[in-house]
Amino acid sequence: MLAITKAAEKGVIMEPYLVFSDIDGTLVIDHQIVTPFTKRVIRELQQRDVIFYIATGRMYNLGKVIARQINDDARIIASNGAVFENEQGSVQHHLGYAALKAAYEITQSDPRLSAHFFYD
């Protein structure tokens, strides 16, 4: 952020920045609470045209709960990249049948493995 501030003071035109933050262990406390300080810092970045993304392995709806605590401009990358937001809304990438079948068969071949398949 210091580099952004110094460049702005000098009148330097900079390309837009993207900032990505994980949720668990990084952005929230108690697995669900975004602190007022964190919200303020993100808002300050956004006011400087920084695009802020939450990047998480959580499902989209759970990521959205956290993003909405910040503000309506916080974007989401969820399900380890399978779902993400852009200017037009959310975009989803689904595994094909062959990939799902292979994952299922691998987990069935070893009783120590388990699989959880999610969809929106």
Side-chain angles (χ1 to χ4, degrees), residues 46-106:
Q46 290 171 323
Q47 289 170 351
R48 296 170 187 237
D49 295 325
V50 172
I51 300 168
F52 180 80
Y53 273 92
I54 289 171
T56 183
R58 294 182 184 193
M59 294 185 334
Y60 177 76
N61 287 339
L62 296 175
K64 194 171 188 171
V65 168
I66 301 301
R68 296 309 162 244
Q69 285 186 55
I70 297 167
N71 61 45
D72 289 337
D73 293 325
R75 296 182 186 170
I76 304 165
I77 298 173
S79 300
N80 291 318
V83 181
F84 63 92
E85 289 183 340
N86 59 22
E87 297 84 16
Q88 290 78 37
S90 68
V91 177
Q92 299 180 18
H93 293 282
H94 299 280
L95 291 176
Y97 175 77
L100 286 172
K101 183 178 178 195
Y104 177 77
E105 288 174 353
I106 290 168

Side-chain angles (χ1 to χ4, degrees), residues 100-119:
L100 286 172
K101 183 178 178 195
Y104 177 77
E105 288 174 353
I106 290 168
T107 60
Q108 293 303 299
S109 69
D110 187 336
R112 296 172 296 167
L113 298 175
S114 63
H116 301 276
F117 296 92
F118 300 97
Y119 66 93

